[in-house]
């Protein structure tokens, strides 16, 4: 598909379907892990998994930071007809990914216990957390590069390859989760090993793209390296900060939930955060579908095509948010018991937690879509501010303040209030960006 000439609606569908499919299967990893651990290990395992979840946020942060940052400038350069510049950005982003991966890998190998304690693990849960995360940490570079390559391959016009990689890896992960946890009875380690092997398969399929005839990416000597790295970091930060904010917020939530509700509430929160991770992946899928189209058309100066993509993606995100919220409001017990054993404590507290938390998904999609859109039209400051407001500033403050009055209920309401407050700012930013178009932006 020609991103500059193909009908915009057809183009959007051509990127959206593979992007959402990949997001669904990526979410299956955490879904299946939660089901296998919740039923094969028990509520302590489910609570431990909620504490381990931020490690995937760290992985996604660095993968998206480098991958999306590269994709924005690669698309813009190609829209301008400057192919050598596009490949220079790809090469610089690859170097950046290698450096970040080595640093993070070393940190987790050396300071794992301290990091998991910071995430919220207590003495009772630490063995479960370690049993699961040790496998993830040993092969962390594969995880980071899978996230990075998904962005890069999609931006090179091959969204179906990304979908194929994720689907093949996801199918492998589902089977391995069942086989390792139940017939072999390997518990937390079995679920982690299944996730690792599924990601290795995904990485192998993505890597094979670079040996194919369709690949338009080449490693060249970057020019103006410092400027290129700066641009990649600035453009990618607002997408990456969605995940790093998810890390920090999950840590805060884990501690607040343990403080006000204990381990049963943390087990239910493990279910909620698994659903939240899935929905956030799907909303990011909408953003990742629009990003290559908008970036390249921005480089080519075709603002009308960009406006059409923006409207289509906002509508998609809003409809998805309505569906996700209704599912939680109407079927809270079914969601809880799907993942964990229905103990009396779980049955008592799950409906209130799930119904309130799921309200936050209604505006969440528009907020995430706005982050990706503003990146793609080079409004990176707005994008970063928006991501920080919803991911850290408003949510972090409210998660500490509201429980002072409403105790455990205040934790869940903090998330809903944050998303509804930020969506007002998101809509204002989108309208402002549409009116300004290309004004005030440098090449």
């Amino acid at each position: 598909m020609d991103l500059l000439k193909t009908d915009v609606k057809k183009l959007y569908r051509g990127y959206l379907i593979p992007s959402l499919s990949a997001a669904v299967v990526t979410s299956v990893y955490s879904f299946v892990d939660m089901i296998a651990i919740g039923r094969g290990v028990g509520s302590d395992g489910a609570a431990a998994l909620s504490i381990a979840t931020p490690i995937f946020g760290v992985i996604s942060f660095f993968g998206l930071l480098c991958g999306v940052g590269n994709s924005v400038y690669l698309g813009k350069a190609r829209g301008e007809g400057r192919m050598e510049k596009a490949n220079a950005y790809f090469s610089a982003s690859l170097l950046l990914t290698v450096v970040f991966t080595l640093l993070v890998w070393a940190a987790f190998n050396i300071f794992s216990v301290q990091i998991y304690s910071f995430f919220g693990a207590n003495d009772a849960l630490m063995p479960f957390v370690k049993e699961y995360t040790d496998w993830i940490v040993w092969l962390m570079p594969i995880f980071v590069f899978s996230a990075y390559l998904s962005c890069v391959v999609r931006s090179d016009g091959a969204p179906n390859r990304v979908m194929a990689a994720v689907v093949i890896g996801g199918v492998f992960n589902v089977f391995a989760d069942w086989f390792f946890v139940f017939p072999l009875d390997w518990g937390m380690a079995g679920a982690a090993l299944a996730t690792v092997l599924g990601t290795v398969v995904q990485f192998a399929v993505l890597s094979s793209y670079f040996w194919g005839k369709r690949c338009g990416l080449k490693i060249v000597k970057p020019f103006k390296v410092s400027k290129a790295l700066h641009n990649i970091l600035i453009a990618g930060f607002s997408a990456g900060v969605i995940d790093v904010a998810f890390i920090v917020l999950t840590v805060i939530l884990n501690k607040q939930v343990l403080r006000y509700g204990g381990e049963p509430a943390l087990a239910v929160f493990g279910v909620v955060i698994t659903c939240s991770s899935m929905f956030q992946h799907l909303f990011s899928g909408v953003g990742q579908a629009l990003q290559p189209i908008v970036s390249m058309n921005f480089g080519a100066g075709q603002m009308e095509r960009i406006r059409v993509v923006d409207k289509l993606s906002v509508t998609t995100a809003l409809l998805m948010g309505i569906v996700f919220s209704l599912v939680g409001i109407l079927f809270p017990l079914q969601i809880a018991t799907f993942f964990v054993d229905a103990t009396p404590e779980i049955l008592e507290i799950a409906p209130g937690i799930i119904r309130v938390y799921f309200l936050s998904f209604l505006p969440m999609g528009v907020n995430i879509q706005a982050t990706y859109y503003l990146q793609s039209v080079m409004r990176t400051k707005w994008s970063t501010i928006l991501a920080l407001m919803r991911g850290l500033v408003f949510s972090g403050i409210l998660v500490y303040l509201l429980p002072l009055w409403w105790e455990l209920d205040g934790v869940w309401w903090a998330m809903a209030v944050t998303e509804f407050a930020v969506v007002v700012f998101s809509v204002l930013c989108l309208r402002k960006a549409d009116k300004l178009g290309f004004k005030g932006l440098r090449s």
Side-chain angles (χ1 to χ4, degrees), residues 1-5 15 69-91 151-159 209-210 212-220 223 291-302 378 443:
M1 290 181 287
D2 188 330
L3 274 68
L4 300 178
K5 296 179 181 178
Y15 271 82
N70 162 73
S71 299
V72 168
Y73 278 92
L74 183 145
K76 182 174 181 287
R78 286 184 170 178
E80 296 167 343
R82 303 169 70 180
M83 301 304 295
E84 187 68 19
K85 182 178 179 182
N87 282 322
Y89 269 111
F90 164 62
S91 302
C151 298
V152 170
V153 173
R154 186 183 293 112
S155 69
D156 198 43
Y209 173 76
F210 292 91
K213 295 180 180 179
R214 289 192 56 192
C215 180
L217 297 166
K218 297 179 181 179
I219 297 177
V220 299
F223 52 86
Q291 187 270 313
I293 306 170
V294 172
S295 294
M296 189 170 290
N297 280 276
F298 184 83
Q302 300 196 46
M378 303 296 160
S443 173

Side-chain angles (χ1 to χ4, degrees), residues 146-196:
S146 290
Y148 167 75
L149 291 178
S150 293
C151 298
V152 170
V153 173
R154 186 183 293 112
S155 69
D156 198 43
N160 289 322
R161 175 61 68 96
V162 178
M163 179 178 68
V166 176
V167 169
I168 295 169
V171 170
F172 187 92
N173 180 56
V174 170
F175 172 77
D177 251 320
W178 166 79
F179 186 67
F180 293 159
V181 175
F182 295 103
L184 296 184
D185 195 26
W186 287 356
M188 301 289 290
L193 180 59
T195 299
V196 166

Side-chain angles (χ1 to χ4, degrees), residues 395-433:
S395 52
I397 292 171
L398 291 175
V399 164
Y400 278 113
L401 286 182
L402 294 188
L404 296 177
W405 291 279
W406 298 341
E407 296 187 336
L408 186 61
D409 286 343
V411 176
W412 321 123
W413 277 109
M415 305 311 300
V417 172
T418 294
E419 295 290 352
F420 277 98
V422 173
V423 78
V424 176
F425 182 73
S426 296
V427 172
L428 291 174
C429 285
L430 289 172
R431 289 182 177 178
K432 185 71 172 177

